[in-house]
Amino acid sequence: SRESGRGGVGESPAGTFELRGRHSVFDGPTDFVYLPRDTSARLTSAGGGRFALVGARCERRLPPRYGPAADVPVELRGAGQCSRQVHNFAAAGAFDCDRLIAVEVLTPGGNWSSYPPHKHDEHHPGEESRLEEIYFYEIAPHGDTPGVGYQRVTPSPAGKTDVLAEVRTGDVVLIPDGWHGPSIAAPGHDMYYLNVMAGPDAAREWLIRDHPDHAWIRGTWAGQEVDPRLPLNRPAPPAPRPEEETP
């Protein structure tokens, strides 16, 4: 589970987990809690907040655990206009789950993410795993102007998904199959998306196959710098002083 703002997650009978959260999704990683299958939970927050609850069908019942924000691996992926920042809070090699894989991706305005287009809808041992996926978006505004981005999914040999979507804050794109990418952030509007994946393969692993027409782009990154705007870790604005508050 993920949360914005301050709050708590209670899990019975194991106990209560307290989360610090963050001001916004653009403020770096946040702490989180893993709750096992067949569990009842109660979420409370004195100041209100926004919570993302992600899950997947699974067989094993693992223990509930707290994940500190400081322990979330942060990866700067790609280079140049393909630069993006990945928070691997529940990546396959970073946090133990039975089926669930979940990460956050932040893309500076004007950049392309999820590129080159790739897929994971066929089982090829050591090369590609079967994972359905969702993208949940938040797009940074510019002043009072809401942000916008774009997502492309093209059909693969394993499926027929064909999507060209304009995405805004709160939108979700479902990807049961297909080559997905790019995720395009409009200039001036940083893009965030939460990726949630799970699949039927015995091994929990994220193995992808790049689109053969576009895989060459990876070879150009060696001569480019990572976007200097990364990492995106905007500090939360200070709380207003009493004399600055408006009635």
Side-chain angles (χ1 to χ4, degrees), residues 60 65 73 75 77 86-103 129 131 195 197 203-207:
R60 293 186 298 148
R65 281 159 290 150
E75 174 188 2
R77 189 178 296 172
V86 185
H87 299 163
N88 291 303
F89 72 95
F95 191 84
D96 188 26
C97 299
D98 185 27
R99 297 286 181 176
L100 180 69
I101 297 174
V103 304
S129 51
L131 296 167
N195 282 148
M197 293 167 275
R204 174 178 171 255
E205 52 189 354
W206 183 68
L207 299 177

Side-chain angles (χ1 to χ4, degrees), residues 43-99:
L43 280 68
T44 64
S45 177
R50 294 184 302 122
F51 303 83
L53 306 178
V54 305
R57 294 180 180 179
C58 64
E59 290 77 39
R60 293 186 298 148
R61 191 176 193 276
L62 303 177
R65 281 159 290 150
Y66 172 75
D71 290 350
V72 174
V74 176
E75 174 188 2
L76 299 185
R77 189 178 296 172
Q81 290 183 302
C82 291
S83 300
R84 59 270 204 187
Q85 175 177 332
V86 185
H87 299 163
N88 291 303
F89 72 95
F95 191 84
D96 188 26
C97 299
D98 185 27
R99 297 286 181 176

Side-chain angles (χ1 to χ4, degrees), residues 120-141:
H120 37 72
D121 55 14
E122 296 179 292
H123 179 64
H124 296 281
E127 296 180 4
E128 182 180 358
S129 51
R130 290 179 294 175
L131 296 167
E132 296 184 353
E133 185 170 14
I134 70 161
Y135 280 54
F136 168 82
Y137 304 87
E138 294 199 21
I139 314 296

Side-chain angles (χ1 to χ4, degrees), residues 100-186:
L100 180 69
I101 297 174
V103 304
E104 299 179 308
V105 180
L106 298 99
T107 306
N111 285 7
W112 282 26
S113 197
S114 282
Y115 200 78
H118 59 280
K119 74 182 187 77
H120 37 72
D121 55 14
E122 296 179 292
H123 179 64
H124 296 281
E127 296 180 4
E128 182 180 358
S129 51
R130 290 179 294 175
L131 296 167
E132 296 184 353
E133 185 170 14
I134 70 161
Y135 280 54
F136 168 82
Y137 304 87
E138 294 199 21
I139 314 296
H142 179 75
D144 295 330
T145 303
V148 64
Y150 296 89
Q151 177 67 49
R152 185 71 170 114
V153 185
T154 55
S156 71
K160 300 181 180 179
T161 302
D162 192 346
V163 174
L164 175 57
E166 181 175 290
V167 293
R168 299 176 184 272
T169 293
D171 287 342
V172 174
V173 171
L174 307 180
I175 306 175
D177 50 61
W179 304 99
H180 39 290
S183 304
I184 304 171

